[in-house]
Amino acid sequence: MADQAFRHRLGRNFEAFVGEAFQVVRWALIVGFAQLLATRFPGLGFRALHLALAALLFGYLASRFLLRPEIRFFPDDAPRWQRLLQSIGNLLICIVAFALVLWGIGAIVDGLADYRGPE
């Protein structure tokens, strides 16, 4: 920790990670609020808002896993079929991350709905 350059790199990496985590939490709160509204007030409007915001959340997660540097499974000089397989793997990771985030949002919204009770 005495090396100033190391501390600077560590600080930048930590700041980038926290920024990304905050973005996901912020999107999750927005989607969760829309889901709570759709649960409390059934109708097409809030349901459409929830689905649209969930699609935007998926787009954000996809941009993290697909549009920026992908998680590498193969070296940079891999053949085309391996790069395609890598992209498919990253898409699957994105879908799993999205499903986990939506599952967590659903659990929180269900807990809030149970806590508030019927009105």
Side-chain angles (χ1 to χ4, degrees):
M1 291 301 269
D3 182 16
Q4 183 68 22
F6 172 76
R7 286 187 9 207
H8 183 68
R9 278 192 321 272
L10 183 64
R12 280 186 313 184
N13 290 338
F14 185 70
E15 182 181 4
F17 171 75
V18 169
E20 294 300 327
F22 178 74
Q23 290 286 4
V24 171
V25 168
R26 182 172 67 172
W27 272 105
L29 287 173
I30 292 169
V31 172
F33 182 67
Q35 184 177 357
L36 181 64
L37 288 175
T39 302
R40 300 288 291 165
F41 307 105
L44 186 59
F46 286 126
R47 192 59 165 157
L49 177 66
H50 171 247
L51 292 175
L53 289 173
L56 288 173
L57 173 62
F58 180 76
Y60 179 76
L61 290 175
S63 76
R64 303 309 310 153
F65 288 105
L66 298 175
L67 301 178
R68 300 199 183 167
E70 294 183 318
I71 298 171
R72 287 194 188 147
F73 302 128
F74 302 106
D76 286 339
D77 59 349
R80 182 166 168 59
W81 69 270
Q82 285 182 337
R83 289 192 317 257
L84 180 64
L85 192 61
Q86 177 172 299
S87 293
I88 291 170
N90 278 272
L91 178 63
L92 291 175
I93 290 171
C94 178
I95 290 170
V96 168
F98 178 66
L100 288 173
V101 168
L102 281 187
W103 175 79
I105 290 170
I108 291 170
V109 167
D110 289 344
L112 285 172
D114 289 344
Y115 176 74
R116 287 192 42 100
E119 288 186 12

